[in-house]
């Protein structure tokens, strides 16, 4: 086995060739253009990506894509799959919005997802429709999965579910069927292109959502799911629609409040926080959604 500076040079060259191979395999670079880049790289002492950009054969987005594949950091290319553009963490992982989501992920890992028993589930709650609960829950699920956490997103909004639309998933069987005894873990769907991420959609909208969520099957379901996942996020209906969110928060034992800039009202948020605390849920934080 080689060691020393020579080995470092060999290793660096191998990495550069890997970047080129990834781009060729993805159809983003022609083999003859890769050869041009390699020649320019040698002549000018540049990295593969830098040489490609200078020659006008690559864009920074191409380099980011190759590096993400090289280091096992999965995200989707625009047009690669029909998930909603709202999933910015899946499509634009280097954007400001996703940096904010990663910062939120870090805070949640420090405050709740600490590895302690019973600290795997988190309800994402808000006071009114339009505050962005589904957006935050979906994108948080993506960034947790990009950290190699086995992540499950549950759409517990059995009134106006959205997660199946965001991820373009089948919604015939989901949480409502599981809670009513008509389905089981087979209702969980993996998200193609995003390893480690699965979604349990809401399923058919039932006539009795609050009663379903209040059944003993729900905590048993969560216990089963948490045994197989590292992070379980639950989307919920708005508090002004029903008291479902409070019940889901209590079942999860923790909640994240979502507010929208210039939209949410502080007294109502404070009332929701107090109601969650009274139900036994830890309010681990609040996020201001400005997107």
């Amino acid at each position: 086995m080689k060691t020393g500076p020579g080995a470092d040079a060999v290793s660096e060259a191998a990495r550069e060739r890997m970047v080129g191979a990834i781009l060729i395999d993805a159809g983003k670079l022609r083999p003859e253009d890769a050869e041009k880049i390699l020649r320019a790289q040698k002549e000018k002492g540049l990295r593969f990506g830098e040489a490609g950009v200078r020659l006008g054969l690559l864009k920074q987005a191409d380099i980011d894509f190759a590096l993400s594949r090289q280091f096992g950091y999965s995200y989707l290319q625009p047009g690669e799959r029909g998930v909603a553009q709202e999933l910015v963490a899946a499509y634009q992982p280097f954007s400001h919005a996703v940096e904010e989501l990663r910062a939120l992920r870090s805070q949640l890992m420090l405050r709740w997802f600490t590895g302690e028993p019973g600290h795997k589930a988190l309800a994402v709650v808000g006071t009114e429709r339009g505050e962005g609960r589904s957006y935050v829950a979906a994108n948080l699920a993506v960034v947790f999965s990009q950290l190699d956490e086995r992540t499950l997103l549950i759409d517990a909004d059995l009134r106006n579910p959205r997660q199946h639309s965001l991820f373009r998933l089948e919604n015939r069987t989901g949480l409502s069927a599981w809670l009513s005894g008509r389905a089981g873990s087979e209702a969980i769907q993996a998200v193609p292109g995003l390893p480690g991420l699965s979604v349990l959609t809401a399923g058919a909208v039932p006539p009795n959502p609050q009663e379903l969520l209040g059944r003993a099957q729900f905590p048993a379901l969560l216990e089963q799911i948490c045994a197989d996942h590292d992070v379980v996020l639950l989307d919920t209906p708005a508090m002004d629609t029903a008291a479902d969110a409070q019940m889901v928060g209590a079942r999860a034992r923790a909640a994240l409040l979502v507010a929208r800039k210039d939209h949410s009202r502080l007294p109502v948020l404070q009332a929701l926080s107090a109601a969650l605390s009274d139900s036994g849920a830890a309010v681990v934080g609040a996020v201001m959604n400005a997107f």
Side-chain angles (χ1 to χ4, degrees), residues 24-43:
I24 291 170
D25 291 344
K28 295 179 177 294
L29 184 66
R30 297 182 303 173
E32 56 268 32
D33 289 336
E35 291 296 329
K36 292 177 184 177
I37 294 172
L38 287 169
R39 284 197 296 271
Q41 178 189 3
K42 285 184 179 180
E43 292 170 2

Side-chain angles (χ1 to χ4, degrees), residues 73 97-115 122 136 139-147 149 231 233 256 284-287:
Y73 183 73
V98 181
E99 285 296 337
E100 295 287 341
L101 285 162
R102 279 195 283 268
L104 175 59
R105 178 188 66 189
S106 297
Q107 288 297 316
L108 291 174
M109 293 184 73
L110 290 171
R111 297 184 184 191
W112 184 249
F113 296 113
T114 58
L122 177 71
V136 171
N139 281 287
L140 264 182
V142 173
V143 296
F144 269 110
S145 71
Q146 289 169 337
L147 199 61
E149 298 286 343
V231 173
L233 299 172
L256 173 71
V284 299
V287 57

Side-chain angles (χ1 to χ4, degrees), residues 61-97:
D62 298 323
I63 300 166
D64 291 340
F65 169 80
L67 291 174
S68 73
R69 291 296 188 268
Q70 196 177 47
F71 288 94
Y73 183 73
S74 299
Y75 69 96
L76 303 176
Q77 295 293 293
E80 182 178 339
R81 187 175 177 272
V83 300
Q85 293 299 312
E86 286 177 77
L87 295 179
V88 291
Y91 283 123
Q92 305 168 42
F94 310 108
S95 65
H96 172 69

Side-chain angles (χ1 to χ4, degrees), residues 252-274:
R253 298 180 54 191
L256 173 71
L257 293 178
V258 176
R260 192 174 193 89
K261 187 177 180 181
D262 301 325
H263 178 85
S264 302
R265 294 168 292 169
L266 182 59
V268 183
L269 284 168
Q270 290 172 329
L272 173 56
S273 178

Side-chain angles (χ1 to χ4, degrees), residues 123-232:
V124 180
V125 304
T127 59
E128 304 174 38
R129 294 190 68 180
E131 289 176 324
R133 293 177 319 283
S134 297
Y135 167 89
V136 171
N139 281 287
L140 264 182
V142 173
V143 296
F144 269 110
S145 71
Q146 289 169 337
L147 199 61
D148 287 335
E149 298 286 343
R150 296 172 300 166
T151 305
L152 175 66
L153 173 61
I154 300 176
D155 196 341
D157 185 347
L158 300 184
R159 298 174 187 270
N160 297 286
R162 287 199 65 219
Q163 296 301 338
H164 65 284
S165 297
L166 291 175
F167 287 94
R168 304 291 192 261
L169 295 172
E170 177 59 57
N171 192 39
R172 281 199 295 265
T173 304
L175 177 62
S176 60
W178 197 336
L179 291 175
S180 59
R182 295 182 292 107
S185 59
E186 71 278 1
I188 295 174
Q189 302 177 62
V191 179
L194 295 171
L197 177 58
S198 300
V199 176
L200 175 59
T201 64
V205 174
N208 58 336
Q210 195 165 18
E211 287 74 17
L212 276 182
L213 294 170
R215 288 183 178 179
Q217 288 96 320
F218 194 21
L221 177 156
L222 279 178
E223 183 177 356
Q224 177 183 341
I225 282 172
C226 286
D228 297 327
H229 296 84
D230 302 309
V231 173
V232 177

